[in-house]
């Protein structure tokens, strides 16, 4: 069982999420991508729409059909731009959008992850409302990035924003590695406290309804306590 994509979950619950939840979601995603990079593979289409939340609020990377194995022969690493998702340009690295460029690498994944960080932090899709051609112009011709709203500093840690900006650097060589991103996000999570939401089990029969309701009530109270503690820790 899963709760859908991170993209949809953020859209539906953005105003309810604390810093700790946002930090934990994106940290989970980073761990999944890092494991892929350790195997010398690129995801090739990183975005919150390709991240699923399970019933324990863990984030998993999906749409693995787009994965590129960098151990494969070089000519098989090339791909047509039309083979990737319809919304990829909202998250795509500018160097990959250049005419004639079809080879994808780790640094492209890092840029797309930075754009995903933006969406998790703001609740908005990067370059929302623009056409695909307009996005290409913003990224390649103007070297633009999505506007960071003033309230983003209330929604995520300032180090989160600093890391995001570093990861979407125009120069691929200036972008951190996925290992470095994982390490920095772990530090950020330790500061704000990781979210520890629990999901009450569904009752197996009518006889167990009352017991299940009592357990669900206790879990809701525990979740509320954890949320308050996280918010109080952040306030300090």
């Amino acid at each position: 069982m899963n709760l859908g994509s991170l993209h949809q979950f953020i859209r539906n619950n953005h105003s309810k999420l604390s810093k700790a939840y946002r930090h934990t979601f994106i940290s989970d995603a980073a761990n999944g991508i890092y494991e892929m990079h350790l195997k010398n593979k690129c995801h090739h289409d990183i975005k919150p729409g390709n991240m699923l939340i399970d019933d324990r609020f863990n984030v998993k990377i999906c749409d693995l059909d787009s994965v590129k194995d960098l151990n494969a022969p070089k000519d098989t690493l090339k791909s047509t731009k039309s083979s990737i998702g319809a919304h990829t340009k909202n998250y795509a690295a500018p160097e990959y959008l250049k005419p004639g460029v079809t080879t994808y690498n780790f640094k492209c994944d890092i840029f797309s992850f930075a754009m995903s960080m933006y969406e998790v932090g703001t609740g908005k899709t990067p370059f929302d409302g623009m056409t695909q051609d307009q996005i290409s112009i913003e990224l390649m011709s103007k070297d633009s990035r999505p506007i960071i709203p003033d309230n983003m500093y209330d929604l995520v840690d300032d180090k989160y924003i600093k890391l995001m900006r570093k990861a979407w650097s125009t120069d691929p060589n200036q972008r951190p590695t996925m290992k470095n991103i994982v390490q920095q996000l772990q530090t950020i999570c330790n500061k704000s406290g990781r979210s520890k939401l629990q999901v009450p089990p569904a009752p197996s029969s009518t006889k167990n309804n009352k017991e299940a309701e009592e357990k669900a009530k206790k879990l809701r109270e525990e979740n509320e306590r954890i949320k308050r503690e996280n918010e109080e820790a952040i306030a300090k």
Side-chain angles (χ1 to χ4, degrees), residues 17-31:
L17 299 177
S18 68
K19 286 184 178 181
Y21 298 136
R22 293 187 178 85
H23 296 163
T24 300
F25 288 152
I26 205 68
S27 180
D28 278 356
N31 285 328

Side-chain angles (χ1 to χ4, degrees), residues 194-205:
R194 295 187 68 88
S195 63
K196 300 176 183 178
L197 283 175
Q198 302 179 64
V199 181
S204 57
S205 67

Side-chain angles (χ1 to χ4, degrees), residues 79-93:
S79 60
T80 59
K81 303 283 174 66
S82 61
S83 68
I84 49 183
H87 296 96
T88 295
K89 283 189 178 179
N90 297 70
Y91 308 88

